[in-house]
């Protein structure tokens, strides 16, 4: 396909590289910031533009990968080209593209992207949605050229995914940070915990988390929990987190539902 | 070395197999439960006993891998053999072995073990401690035959490690569960989040967690956080967790210390 990338952040960069590698033609890369546009365009061997007036209309699809609050405006500005547009945002409904004259859709890669890390796009779940079946089929086909996991997900479901990703990614990363800080305070190397963090994530690749829960709370081991809180030594924040999550795990251990 | 295993749980099983594979001789496996002893003994091709009276004294080391609250009693009962004993518990001080007449130590593998999963022991950090330098040297040597990571860790540090492991393993696993429950409630497949969970754990293998924190809270993105809490739809437990962890991440983003 002939694809135009609007945006040059982490998602645009990783997605652009994956599409290029899959044999698609990236027609242009647009970014307000000419330097950012040039960097990504160089990386994926295409033309950089920093003015929407210079858009080449000879494209099959605009992929809008910009900050959530400017998606709507950009989609609207692209209407004159009468080509399909998709956005890549987990938190933005399809309806945000309704001012765009023409087909619109969503092309959301559910992964955490960093500038400094390569991602194997084949493993990244692609969540797609579209205003009509033709575009949905096109997006399904396109997604399957870069990923082994393609899912039709509507806007309501995608909101839930975006929320669930906070629980599955952002909050665990904060807890890794808390553990690293506890270690540092006692001159202990974070390498001591890295294999445990890996194995904990690996376990749930095959099992449901509830089936592999370990630790004092799931055993209702009061003695260990009291000792741990004492060891937190008046750190109010970590004590509150310890108690709240331990109570939740105890409740889970009793078979009480987490979500009803 | 000639090694006698006291216990037949997850740690004894994985440790026994690793020691056997590294060329050590497992003299006997003891468990109160004759069936459990027989299973593990069969697995690592040694003799099973379920009565401490049948201990073969011709061994170099007793590894006590039993529930924390019976370690002390068993160590004391092994005194008559006048051989070194070590326990494998993260939560138990070296001093729990003081009734043992002879050298004593700790041989703690910092990992989460499951019956159903193989673990590459080379990656498991081995935390060792001993009452005297000779035994410490022996344990260092023994640990290095099964693991690439051997650390001298005293009882106070090991208590911290055990606490930090709750933050790095048990709590993230609960949060994976919460995310899975949110998905299930909306007919979404947990496979959508599994790659994200993997990548989140992979990122901190090279970076410190604070350097790779993502999500609405670190951006102080109030709009997304308010939308997420609304989406939790009165689920008090998940709302409390969302708010507490988001506040902690916001504080981290301002550079305020998590642990002082």
């Amino acid at each position: 396909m002939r694809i135009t990338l609007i945006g040059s952040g982490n998602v645009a960069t990783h997605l652009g590289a994956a599409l290029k590698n899959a044999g698609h033609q990236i027609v242009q890369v647009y970014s307000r910031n000419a330097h950012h546009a040039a960097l990504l365009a160089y990386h994926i061997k295409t033309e950089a533009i920093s003015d929407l007036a210079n858009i080449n209309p000879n494209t099959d699809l605009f992929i809008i990968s910009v900050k959530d609050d400017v998606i709507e405006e950009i989609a609207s500005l692209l209407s004159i080209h009468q080509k399909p547009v998709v956005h890549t945002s987990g938190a933005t409904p399809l309806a945000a593209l309704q001012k765009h004259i023409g087909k619109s859709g969503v092309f959301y890669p559910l992964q955490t992207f960093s500038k400094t890390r390569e991602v194997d796009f084949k493993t990244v779940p692609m969540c797609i949605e579209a205003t009509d079946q033709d575009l949905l089929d096109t997006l399904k086909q396109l997604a399957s050229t870069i990923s082994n996991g393609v899912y039709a997900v509507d806007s309501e479901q995608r909101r839930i995914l975006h929320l669930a990703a906070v629980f599955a990614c952002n909050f665990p990363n904060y807890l890794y940070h808390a553990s690293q800080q506890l270690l540092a305070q006692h001159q202990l190397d974070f390498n001591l915990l890295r294999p445990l963090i890996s194995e904990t994530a690996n376990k749930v690749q095959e099992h449901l988390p509830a089936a592999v829960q370990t630790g004092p709370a799931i055993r209702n081991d009061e003695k260990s929990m009291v000792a741990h809180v004492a060891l937190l030594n008046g750190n109010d924040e970590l004590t509150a987190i310890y108690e709240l999550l331990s109570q939740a795990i105890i409740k889970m251990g009793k078979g009480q539902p987490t979500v009803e």
Side-chain angles (χ1 to χ4, degrees), chain A:
Chain A
M1 275 183 87
R2 294 174 56 84
I3 294 165
T4 302
L5 278 182
I6 308 293
S8 60
N10 282 340
V11 174
T13 299
H14 287 274
L15 192 55
L19 290 166
K20 175 80 180 176
N21 288 339
H24 300 286
Q25 187 189 340
I26 311 300
V27 180
Q28 290 174 319
V29 170
Y30 162 84
S31 171
R32 260 186 327 191
N33 180 315
H35 178 63
H36 291 170
L39 263 180
L40 178 52
Y42 174 81
H43 188 56
I44 57 178
K45 300 185 178 59
T46 186
E47 182 192 353
I49 56 172
S50 58
D51 184 341
L52 288 175
N54 297 327
I55 285 272
N56 176 350
N58 189 12
T59 187
D60 301 320
L61 181 68
F62 289 104
I63 298 183
I64 303 177
S65 192
V66 298
K67 286 205 190 338
D68 289 356
D69 52 5
V70 286
I71 291 173
E72 191 162 352
E73 181 196 349
I74 291 206
S76 166
L77 292 171
L78 292 171
S79 288
I80 48 164
H81 304 297
Q82 298 182 301
K83 294 290 167 66
V85 302
V86 294
H87 74 64
T88 62
S89 164
T92 307
L94 176 57
L97 303 177
Q98 65 194 1
K99 285 190 194 152
H100 175 76
I101 297 158
K103 296 176 180 183
S104 60
V106 180
F107 200 68
Y108 169 50
L110 206 178
Q111 186 51 284
T112 172
F113 297 104
S114 320
K115 286 255 187 275
T116 55
R117 282 178 58 84
E118 286 284 323
V119 161
D120 175 10
F121 230 95
K122 282 282 166 206
T123 68
V124 177
M126 291 300 307
C127 304
I128 58 169
E129 184 181 13
T131 47
D132 80 299
Q133 188 63 41
D134 261 11
L135 180 57
L136 191 69
D137 291 343
T138 301
L139 294 178
K140 194 175 288 181
Q141 172 59 28
L142 179 63
S144 71
T145 65
I146 56 173
S147 168
N148 294 330
V150 183
Y151 299 82
V153 168
D154 67 28
S155 290
E156 176 61 21
Q157 288 176 315
R158 200 170 56 256
R159 285 208 302 162
I160 295 291
L161 276 181
H162 191 254
L163 166 63
V166 172
F167 282 86
C169 165
N170 308 150
F171 291 165
N173 189 74
Y174 173 78
L175 295 169
Y176 303 158
H177 167 71
S179 70
Q180 182 264 325
Q181 293 282 295
L182 286 167
L183 262 56
Q185 189 190 26
H186 292 82
Q187 290 76 49
L188 287 161
D189 190 333
F190 187 50
N191 281 332
L192 278 158
L193 288 180
R194 285 183 159 125
L196 179 66
I197 287 171
S198 277
E199 176 66 7
T200 304
N202 286 343
K203 272 185 175 182
V204 299
Q205 301 302 310
E206 303 163 24
H207 299 282
L208 285 182
V212 294
Q213 182 69 51
T214 54
I218 195 72
R219 295 192 306 268
N220 213 340
D221 173 356
E222 282 281 353
K223 197 180 144 199
S224 290
M225 289 188 278
V226 168
H228 281 166
V229 167
L231 210 50
L232 285 169
N233 197 22
N235 183 315
D236 291 343
E237 188 159 63
L238 294 188
T239 300
I241 291 169
Y242 189 95
E243 289 181 340
L244 186 58
L245 289 173
S246 293
Q247 284 307 317
I249 294 170
I250 289 168
K251 193 178 142 188
M252 173 179 102
K254 289 178 181 160
Q256 291 170 32
T258 301
V259 170
E260 307 185 76

